[in-house]
Amino acid sequence: MRALPLADEFFLVGHDEYTGKPLVNSEVLDTGLAGAVLGELLLAGRLIVDSNSVVLARDQRPYGERVTDAALAEVLKQREPHPVRAWVEYLREHVRAMVAPRLVSLGLIQKVQTRAVLRQTIRFPATDPLKAASPRVRLRYVLGHPEHLDAQTAVMGGLVRATGLEHVLGAGTAREARDSLGRLVEQLPFELQALCTGVDTAVAAVALTVRR
């Protein structure tokens, strides 16, 4: 399986394919997912990130996809530009509810709601666990075969590293996986590196809040 949008691939990596549960803190996962949506627009040439890590519109034309067009519209309506971290923190509140329907419509996951007293839980188990594992398997493969690396996979690696999901790769120790993912990110253009850095900073802020 290939050619899913970046955010869809990250969604699959960040959820257990059998239970549909997030594999890291939900706010951390949503931060990475928001970064992935921005990454789609950067990879498509609709946005750029300047030397101060500020997100700017390069091409105002709609991308033709509901999730990315909604994110692009948010950027365009702001009077003042904002850095990557501010955007991922802004977009993460609703990003999972926006991205999940794309995967549901493709038949790759299903939305399962369960109710308990005063609480509703939503899970997204895969309809085919092997297909759902494909982005994770490919990322693990390019760690050992960097000659097959492409920009989208490298960005996904940076987001996996930023959100602490490297343990799902099963590629050596967590430290070894983080180091390998870091080397992938180093091969990216500046603006995509800045995206990964902005997500990393936002995730660190979440972790600090949780520890308080």
Side-chain angles (χ1 to χ4, degrees):
M1 184 179 70
R2 190 62 175 98
L4 284 176
L6 175 60
D8 292 22
E9 292 198 318
F10 183 78
F11 189 104
L12 293 174
V13 171
H15 288 81
D16 183 278
E17 58 265 40
Y18 297 100
T19 67
K21 295 180 180 180
L23 295 171
V24 290
N25 171 280
S26 290
E27 192 171 4
V28 168
L29 180 65
D30 291 342
T31 302
L33 199 55
V37 171
L38 288 179
E40 291 180 23
L41 288 165
L42 287 167
L43 290 166
R46 295 299 195 271
L47 299 178
I48 60 172
V49 178
D50 71 10
S51 59
N52 294 313
S53 295
V54 171
V55 177
L56 302 169
R58 170 186 281 164
D59 185 342
Q60 298 186 14
R61 293 175 299 165
Y63 188 58
E65 195 287 315
R66 184 179 62 85
V67 176
T68 43
D69 282 351
L72 179 60
E74 290 295 322
V75 174
L76 293 175
K77 76 180 185 182
Q78 297 298 315
R79 294 183 178 180
E80 299 293 333
H82 302 286
V84 171
R85 175 181 170 180
W87 274 115
V88 297
E89 291 175 339
Y90 175 74
L91 293 173
R92 71 185 173 198
E93 183 175 357
H94 302 293
V95 69
R96 208 180 324 176
M98 294 172 64
V99 173
R102 291 201 304 200
L103 287 160
V104 171
S105 68
L106 291 172
L108 293 173
I109 63 172
Q110 55 184 322
K111 183 178 180 180
V112 177
Q113 295 178 306
T114 57
R115 290 185 178 274
V117 178
L118 301 179
R119 184 178 181 183
Q120 175 178 277
T121 301
I122 300 175
R123 305 297 186 202
F124 297 99
T127 56
D128 185 333
L130 288 178
K131 287 184 178 180
S134 180
R136 181 174 70 240
V137 171
R138 188 179 73 256
L139 180 55
R140 183 168 62 232
Y141 175 79
V142 300
L143 289 180
H145 302 81
E147 67 274 14
H148 296 295
L149 182 67
D150 60 273
Q152 178 167 317
T153 303
V155 174
M156 185 171 69
L159 298 176
V160 165
R161 187 177 190 272
T163 53
L165 277 165
E166 61 271 4
H167 63 278
V168 309
L169 300 178
T173 67
R175 172 60 66 87
E176 290 170 341
R178 285 186 64 80
D179 290 346
S180 296
L181 291 170
R183 287 191 288 273
L184 298 188
V185 175
E186 289 172 357
Q187 300 182 52
L188 287 169
F190 166 80
E191 60 184 13
L192 294 174
Q193 289 191 37
L195 171 69
C196 295
T197 299
V199 171
D200 188 69
T201 303
V203 167
V206 172
L208 181 62
T209 300
V210 170
R211 286 196 296 268
R212 286 177 177 172

